[in-house]
Amino acid sequence: MLWLAAFLIAIFLLSVFFGRYPGPLLTSPGRLASDELAQRLVLNLRLPRLLTAVLLGMSLSAAGAVFQMIFGNPLVEPGFLGVSQGASFGAAFCIVFAIHSAWAVQISAATFGLLGLGLSYWMARRVRFGGWVLRLVLAGIAVSALFSSALGVLKYIADPLSQLPEITFWLLGGLSSITWPQFLSILPAVLVGLYIVYRMRWRLNLLSLNDETAFSLGAAPGRERTLLLIAAVVATSAVISVAGMVTWVGLIIPHIARRLFSADARYVLPASMLIGAIFTVICDDLARVIFPGEIPLGILTSLIGAVVFILLMIRQGNSIKE
Amino acid sequence: MRSKILSIFLLAFLLVTGACTPQAAPPSPTTAPIAPTAPPASNAKTGFTVTDALGRQVTFQTVPQRIVLAGKALFMVADAIYTFPEAGKNIVALGSTTQGSGNFIPMIDPTFKAKISLDMSAGAEQIAVAKPDCVIMKSSNAQTLGKSLEAIHIPVVYLDFETPDQYQRDLKTLGQLFQNPDRASQVAAFYQDQVNVISSKVSSLTDTQKPKTLVLYYSSQNGTVAFNVPPMGWMQTLLVTTAGGTPVWQDANPGSGWTKVSLEQVAAWNPDVIFIVSYFSPVNDVVKQLKADPQWQALAAVKNNKIFGFASDVYSWDEPDSRWILGLSWVASKLHPDLFPNTDVSNEAQTFYQQLYGMDAAAFQKNIQPLLTGDIH
């Protein structure tokens, strides 16, 4: 775990020098010391952007790990249970109706994110066929489709000259417009959410058992699960409200963490947070450095995430440590 | 142990966050621009303020010498800015100014190739490479790009150039920016005079004298053809109403972008006049194809030979590009040939290019005349 934290710090520090100014790839320390514009770029754009990338990776991965353990389903993540789509709808709603307050966008994103999760869970409990895993996935697909359609309506009525480009930009996911005020606006919600999840990580092992067993081991399953889910959704919705739809992180990172650190939530959760942060920081570095124009972050996380996921799944002789 | 390590890490993260946060308030748009590397223009004044499309006051010490045109939907703004003689010299970098059919700016700016070409999705860092002392973009880019530029103290001026009213307002803004209010007034008057000529002639028409008019944007992707109508607030609709027509699609487009309509709906409207817009396929071919279609032949406009390919040259004249004024004159001549019997669109185009871009007759004949298409005559 220590080496993961050290690696994250190293990647973070290196990333500060990555960019397109003054030329592609690296800004030399000498240039940074003498060029006022380079200093502004680093202090006012790259730093808040990198810190947001860290929060983004941590939140999505932590939420993915929490969802996968609580729902006993290795295929869920915020994007599979209607949370991301709900949060997207909530944020787009604010854009279309010209509510530009960062707090309003976050509250709206979190409210609809929670609503998406609640609906998925409610539907899964009421479906009369199939196992729990199948029912949850089906319910998540249905709820996601519902919010995606509602989002389509918002896109239809959005002003194509101002609101639609903003929604489209936001749906592709990216951190290119992050500045200090945006970063600071999400910081409290993300830290509170992550702190609760982190502090309750050892309870996750109990909460992943059935209610009777969890209760007999001293847990209050209903209340504690709800608290964990709300904390995960609040953190996720906050980062989604500024970074847009960044997919696959919540699905693959917990899998990687489990392969590295066993299935014990006490290790999987912090490992997921650290690996998730490393993954998003690297993806964001690539997004802003590879081409003269920015590549939407969501496209890179999907591409790299899917490839890593396939490799993990087909790699022989590699199983989760018990 | 692991718990402590992560707690320390989170604490360090918080400390880094706190330490890196700027103590001062976020920079305002009035922050002094980066000192230009090129010498200021001889007619530059010290300290002046520009009011942009978002109502922001942006202060400059000198006339910007390293202007960057950035963001999406750029070509229409670029064409308007180039009506100022300072544009060619002071613009150092710009994004894509093409729209499938061609690129106008290289025709009027001999230094175009020497300018930095920006990617359409260039971010603040990519733009900073050009060392701009001013970035001009459409106000629709304010949230996605403008904020980042302002965060690194690069002054941003937002423009719209979407409607005739915005043309008047934004030309004034450019006059302030280039410290050339005379040119701003001259260009604004060119537009207003043309509008006044047409408005005065159609103002006495009754509603029944205004032909039922339909503007259809033809698009074809992978063999699938679609016809779309514009929303009420767009330039296409304003051209029709200003030129004395009645847009029949008023209730069909509750959205705010192009909305697809079926032939059935077109037949239900059965307009007197149809204007076909095509940005990516030759509009004359599209009109020819529609006239040959038995289903379209049943429409009154087609029967009466009142279906027209929208006039265009480098770009189509229906858009909120600087050419909209030519589009207005052309639409009026098609809707009311009795009121505008002597309209010679080719001559009007030549005057337009001469007055707004300083293009002489020979350059017009060479660069623009061959591109004139649609039902020009």
Side-chain angles (χ1 to χ4, degrees):
Chain A
M1 200 73 72
L2 188 60
W3 61 265
L4 270 181
F7 188 55
L8 173 59
I9 292 169
I11 284 284
F12 184 93
L13 293 176
L14 191 63
S15 299
V16 168
F17 296 94
F18 268 122
R20 299 289 306 184
Y21 182 89
L25 210 57
L26 276 173
T27 310
S28 68
R31 181 71 183 239
L32 196 54
S34 61
D35 187 334
E36 196 187 347
L37 184 54
Q39 290 164 12
R40 286 178 191 163
L41 275 167
V42 168
L43 282 174
N44 296 345
L45 288 185
R46 287 187 197 168
L47 270 176
R49 179 174 180 156
L50 283 167
L51 290 167
T52 309
V54 169
L55 293 185
L56 177 70
M58 283 186 163
S59 302
L60 292 177
S61 306
V66 167
F67 286 8
Q68 287 172 14
M69 293 204 76
I70 285 186
F71 294 120
N73 185 339
L75 278 178
V76 296
E77 59 127 12
F80 280 67
L81 288 179
V83 175
S84 297
Q85 286 76 8
S88 304
F89 173 81
F93 183 87
C94 285
I95 292 172
V96 169
F97 292 97
I99 306 165
H100 290 302
S101 153
W103 288 105
V105 174
Q106 278 182 56
I107 290 168
S108 176
T111 305
F112 284 101
L114 276 171
L115 188 65
L117 177 66
L119 271 173
S120 298
Y121 186 76
W122 177 79
M123 271 183 67
R125 300 277 290 188
R126 271 151 188 79
V127 174
R128 297 288 177 213
F129 59 89
W132 175 240
V133 172
L134 176 68
R135 283 186 281 147
L136 202 58
V137 170
L138 283 177
I141 289 171
V143 172
S144 297
L146 196 68
F147 278 114
S148 296
S149 310
L151 186 63
V153 174
L154 286 181
K155 285 167 78 177
Y156 178 71
I157 61 171
D159 183 343
L161 300 174
S162 55
Q163 295 163 340
L164 193 56
E166 203 178 324
I167 293 175
T168 308
F169 170 85
W170 187 84
L171 287 176
L172 289 171
L175 300 170
S176 64
S177 59
I178 299 290
T179 51
W180 283 112
Q182 282 167 296
F183 167 73
L184 292 175
S185 74
I186 63 162
L187 190 61
V190 173
L191 285 184
V192 168
L194 287 182
Y195 180 77
I196 292 171
V197 169
Y198 180 71
R199 291 294 295 178
M200 290 184 72
R201 68 196 183 286
W202 62 277
R203 309 287 285 177
L204 260 176
N205 288 326
L206 299 181
L207 297 171
S208 63
L209 304 170
N210 64 45
D211 282 4
E212 290 76 15
T213 315
F215 185 74
S216 67
L217 290 169
R223 201 175 57 217
E224 290 184 19
R225 279 192 190 117
T226 307
L227 179 63
L228 265 168
L229 287 174
I230 288 175
V233 170
V234 164
T236 306
S237 301
V239 289
I240 285 178
S241 71
V242 296
M245 295 282 281
V246 177
T247 52
W248 280 86
V249 179
L251 180 67
I252 59 153
I253 300 299
H255 280 279
I256 295 172
R258 270 195 289 275
R259 287 188 182 271
L260 292 173
F261 293 95
S262 85
D264 188 338
R266 287 175 301 166
Y267 310 121
V268 167
L269 198 82
S272 293
M273 288 162 69
L274 291 171
I275 298 170
I278 292 167
F279 180 69
T280 46
V281 167
I282 291 174
C283 283
D284 188 53
D285 285 347
L286 296 174
R288 62 198 170 94
V289 169
I290 296 179
F291 294 118
E294 290 244 355
I295 308 171
L297 181 61
I299 292 175
L300 272 180
T301 56
S302 304
L303 180 70
I304 299 172
V307 171
V308 170
F309 191 68
I310 291 166
L311 289 176
L312 272 175
M313 292 297 111
I314 62 173
R315 196 173 158 199
Q316 296 207 342
N318 195 357
S319 59
I320 295 171
K321 292 177 190 170
E322 293 299 330
Chain B
M1 181 62 187
R2 286 188 175 93
S3 164
K4 281 182 183 167
I5 290 167
L6 203 79
S7 297
I8 291 167
F9 178 77
L10 280 172
L11 187 66
F13 178 74
L14 279 172
L15 286 173
V16 167
T17 305
C20 293
T21 308
Q23 297 304 304
S28 72
T30 53
T31 309
I34 296 161
T37 51
S42 57
N43 64 341
K45 295 176 183 174
T46 306
F48 61 90
T49 301
V50 171
T51 306
D52 72 7
L54 295 180
R56 296 157 65 253
Q57 306 269 317
V58 190
T59 301
F60 293 91
Q61 297 307 310
T62 59
V63 173
Q65 301 294 303
R66 295 188 62 79
I67 295 174
V68 171
L69 308 187
K72 295 192 166 85
L74 187 65
F75 81 93
M76 293 181 267
V77 173
D79 286 356
I81 295 170
Y82 265 87
T83 59
F84 285 76
E86 295 86 352
K89 184 169 74 74
N90 295 14
I91 291 172
V92 293
L94 66 175
S96 171
T97 53
T98 63
Q99 194 203 26
S101 50
N103 193 351
F104 174 60
I105 302 300
M107 294 180 188
I108 51 169
D109 183 358
T111 65
F112 179 79
K113 279 189 180 169
K115 296 185 194 305
I116 298 168
S117 175
L118 295 172
D119 190 273
M120 194 167 68
S121 55
E125 280 208 29
Q126 291 89 340
I127 291 169
V129 174
K131 297 260 182 191
D133 52 7
C134 174
V135 176
I136 300 177
M137 65 177 79
K138 289 194 82 134
S139 58
S140 54
N141 296 293
Q143 294 294 320
T144 50
L145 180 59
K147 274 186 179 175
S148 309
L149 288 165
E150 289 167 40
I152 52 173
H153 301 204
I154 293 177
V156 182
V157 172
Y158 297 109
L159 302 172
D160 286 321
F161 283 117
E162 287 288 339
T163 64
D165 288 345
Q166 289 176 355
Y167 256 76
Q168 296 294 320
R169 182 197 66 195
D170 293 344
L171 284 169
K172 197 174 165 190
T173 301
L174 287 175
Q176 294 171 341
L177 185 68
F178 289 122
Q179 290 291 280
N180 192 351
D182 293 345
R183 179 60 180 165
S185 305
Q186 207 177 5
V187 178
F190 178 86
Y191 281 94
Q192 197 56 53
D193 290 348
Q194 296 278 82
V195 171
N196 290 346
V197 166
I198 289 162
S199 300
S200 62
K201 286 194 178 174
V202 301
S203 61
S204 57
L205 296 174
T206 60
D207 284 349
T208 52
Q209 290 173 309
K210 293 180 178 175
K212 287 192 297 171
T213 309
L214 177 61
V215 174
L216 281 178
Y217 159 43
Y218 168 94
S219 63
S220 171
Q221 277 186 332
N222 304 323
T224 308
V225 170
F227 290 94
N228 310 272
V229 292
M232 282 300 99
W234 276 20
M235 186 62 93
Q236 292 82 359
T237 314
L238 298 175
L239 292 182
V240 169
T241 50
T242 310
T246 303
V248 290
W249 66 94
Q250 289 186 70
D251 303 321
N253 192 348
S256 44
W258 290 106
T259 295
K260 213 179 278 184
V261 290
S262 62
L263 179 59
E264 205 171 308
Q265 179 60 64
V266 174
W269 285 323
N270 201 19
D272 302 319
V273 182
I274 300 176
F275 294 115
I276 301 292
V277 172
S278 174
Y279 301 131
F280 303 104
S281 315
V283 72
N284 289 347
D285 292 352
V286 174
V287 172
K288 197 174 164 188
Q289 188 187 319
L290 295 178
K291 281 180 174 174
D293 186 323
Q295 295 185 86
W296 281 76
Q297 283 169 356
L299 298 172
V302 181
K303 276 182 199 162
N304 300 327
N305 207 21
K306 290 282 184 185
I307 177 168
F308 303 111
F310 215 104
S312 72
D313 47 47
V314 188
Y315 311 124
S316 182
W317 293 356
D318 67 294
E319 299 176 274
D321 171 69
S322 59
R323 294 157 183 79
W324 68 265
I325 197 71
L326 293 173
L328 176 65
S329 183
W330 178 81
V331 170
S333 72
K334 295 298 178 198
L335 292 181
H336 300 287
D338 49 329
L339 294 177
F340 305 95
N342 302 318
T343 303
D344 183 336
V345 175
S346 183
N347 269 347
E348 287 191 8
Q350 191 168 338
T351 307
F352 168 86
Y353 282 103
Q354 199 278 323
Q355 291 204 17
L356 294 198
Y357 298 107
M359 188 181 279
D360 61 28
F364 177 82
Q365 296 298 331
K366 183 183 168 217
N367 294 321
I368 305 296
Q369 187 79 45
L371 298 176
L372 285 173
T373 186
D375 284 282
I376 291 292
H377 303 294

